[in-house]
Amino acid sequence: MQDYGLVSVITPSYNCARFIGATIESVQAQTYPNWELIIVDDCSTDHSREVIEKYIGEDPRIKLVVLERNSGAAVTRTKAMQLAQGRYMAFLDSDDWIHTKFIEHLYITIKDYKVDIAACDICQVYTEKQDEKINKLSVKIYSTEEALETLINGETFRAVAWNKLYHKNMLIGEQFETGRYHEDEFFTYRIMAKTNKLAYVDEKLYYYFQRKGSIMNSISYKHLDALDAYLERIAYFKDLYPKLYKIDKMRFCIACIYFYQETFKLNDKEKRECKNRIKSSRHSIRFNCSELKQYSLKESISIVGSRVCIGLLSQLMSLKRNKLK
């Protein structure tokens, strides 16, 4: 490689003193040399800042921004995007880490295949830091519609910001939804839709750490913001991508059932509030008879059942799932 364009790695941090060291060290260990790490501390109340400052003292490529008040991941990421100097940007959560070749492989892919966004596979981990052995680099090129379809299906490109490297042009003028949970789901499809083709590196280069108490492992009223993201995405696809519109409407119905099942774990007040929000969201999407004929029988059951008897359908599906365990 001759052209080492600067890559900005963006990390929001809030009370992650236990994990942030491993996150920083995974960036320092990159085989690609020209990077900056921008950490935005969201008014942590633990000793996260002290941990970060120790690394800053040893490595000038690491920069810390401290917010005056707790604002959430959307604000911290947007702030870092505005400060980033890199020609390329990546997002890294403060309890995750990246493979030593994360930047190198995605950067080479962007340059060699002349794309603006390259994504990689992820590895869900539950214990200590590790690195997968990388064999031959395997790259596949997707059209925008193909890539967005994998996002809808929860595969390959995924509705997350953090398993990707972006050319900065894709992010100019963009920001994450403030005050929202699942802010990635409001953001990622819009960015992907700005380019004509995307590249996917079929290697586990991003390590997504699963820990108790994280947003992805719990359910609350705020987590139902994901349904609002679905509705915005469906409206976005309606005229631009009719095929994706059809798929996403069906996936939305399945998501409503999934969230309804999750409410069974809540106390009575939370359960009632969440159920009402799910039903209200589901009722905002309609299907006519000609549309329903385009779906399989199983899909049609989810579509109709999620509207007319979501409680009963969710209970039956929960019973079936428990029997299979």
Side-chain angles (χ1 to χ4, degrees):
M1 277 186 304
Q2 306 234 337
D3 176 18
Y4 288 106
L6 178 63
V7 173
S8 298
V9 180
I10 292 170
T11 297
S13 175
Y14 178 70
N15 287 353
C16 281
R18 178 184 165 193
F19 309 102
I20 192 67
T23 303
I24 293 171
E25 289 170 11
S26 75
V27 179
Q28 290 180 308
Q30 291 299 296
T31 54
Y32 186 90
N34 193 19
W35 54 262
E36 64 172 359
L37 173 59
I38 303 174
I39 304 172
V40 181
D41 183 81
D42 197 15
C43 287
S44 294
T45 56
D46 66 357
H47 62 286
S48 299
R49 202 177 308 170
E50 289 84 348
V51 174
I52 296 164
E53 287 172 346
K54 174 181 175 293
Y55 285 96
I56 290 174
E58 301 168 352
D59 195 331
R61 295 174 295 178
I62 304 169
K63 301 166 185 176
L64 174 63
V65 179
V66 180
L67 298 186
E68 294 182 357
R69 61 185 179 87
N70 183 261
S71 303
V75 172
T76 60
R77 283 170 159 181
T78 300
K79 179 69 173 177
M81 285 165 55
Q82 294 166 350
L83 297 172
Q85 298 296 310
R87 195 187 311 168
Y88 304 90
M89 296 186 200
F91 297 95
L92 172 61
D93 283 356
S94 57
D95 52 359
D96 297 340
W97 56 89
I98 49 179
H99 192 281
T100 55
K101 291 185 178 293
F102 173 87
I103 297 178
E104 179 184 341
H105 281 343
L106 294 186
Y107 180 83
I108 289 173
T109 300
I110 282 177
K111 300 295 284 186
D112 286 354
Y113 292 90
K114 295 179 173 58
V115 296
D116 293 310
I117 300 173
C120 67
D121 197 1
I122 70 170
C123 181
Q124 294 192 18
V125 290
Y126 300 85
T127 54
E128 72 281 350
K129 183 177 180 298
Q130 60 185 1
D131 253 9
E132 295 273 331
K133 183 178 179 181
I134 303 297
N135 298 310
K136 186 178 179 181
L137 193 62
S138 175
V139 178
K140 182 177 179 181
I141 302 301
Y142 288 75
S143 70
T144 304
E145 186 166 4
E146 289 170 340
L148 287 170
E149 185 172 351
T150 74
L151 179 149
I152 290 171
N153 292 327
E155 303 163 344
T156 312
F157 283 88
R158 304 171 186 268
V160 295
W162 37 253
N163 69 328
K164 303 170 180 73
L165 184 64
Y166 308 81
H167 192 287
K168 69 175 182 180
N169 289 345
M170 297 294 101
L171 303 177
I172 291 174
E174 297 288 348
Q175 62 181 25
F176 288 88
E177 290 277 337
T178 304
R180 295 282 205 163
Y181 278 29
H182 297 281
E183 67 274 4
D184 287 16
E185 303 213 21
F186 290 90
F187 177 86
T188 311
Y189 73 90
R190 296 199 321 266
I191 308 305
M192 289 172 56
K194 292 171 73 172
T195 186
N196 294 323
K197 62 179 181 177
L198 303 91
Y200 180 73
V201 177
D202 192 17
E203 296 288 355
K204 291 181 171 63
L205 301 176
Y206 190 99
Y207 295 89
Y208 175 43
F209 182 52
Q210 302 286 284
R211 60 186 173 103
K212 291 181 180 179
S214 69
I215 284 180
M216 299 303 290
N217 290 317
S218 56
I219 177 70
S220 71
Y221 187 84
K222 284 295 293 178
H223 289 91
L224 298 180
D225 285 352
L227 295 179
D228 292 340
Y230 254 109
L231 292 173
E232 286 189 15
R233 194 172 71 197
I234 289 168
Y236 182 86
F237 287 155
K238 185 174 182 179
D239 295 323
L240 292 173
Y241 301 105
K243 176 186 174 184
L244 300 184
Y245 173 71
K246 171 195 164 186
I247 297 170
D248 216 16
K249 284 180 74 176
M250 180 269 295
R251 289 288 180 190
F252 171 76
C253 296
I254 293 174
C256 287
I257 297 168
Y258 165 76
F259 277 119
Y260 203 94
Q261 289 175 299
E262 291 296 299
T263 66
F264 298 158
K265 305 172 185 176
L266 302 176
N267 63 46
D268 288 343
K269 182 176 182 295
E270 289 180 306
K271 187 182 297 184
R272 183 170 59 255
E273 291 175 345
C274 288
K275 284 181 176 180
N276 287 339
R277 183 173 179 183
I278 294 166
K279 288 178 180 179
S280 176
S281 295
R282 173 61 189 89
H283 286 180
S284 67
I285 292 290
R286 295 181 177 275
F287 295 78
N288 57 43
C289 292
S290 61
E291 281 184 294
L292 284 175
K293 291 177 181 178
Q294 301 175 51
Y295 297 97
S296 69
L297 176 60
K298 184 177 180 181
E299 291 169 345
S300 296
I301 290 171
S302 295
I303 291 168
V304 176
S306 63
R307 181 174 175 84
V308 301
C309 55
I310 190 170
L312 176 60
L313 182 59
S314 298
Q315 287 180 329
L316 292 174
M317 292 179 70
S318 290
L319 288 171
K320 181 179 179 181
R321 185 173 62 184
N322 291 333
K323 284 182 180 179
L324 292 174
K325 287 183 179 179

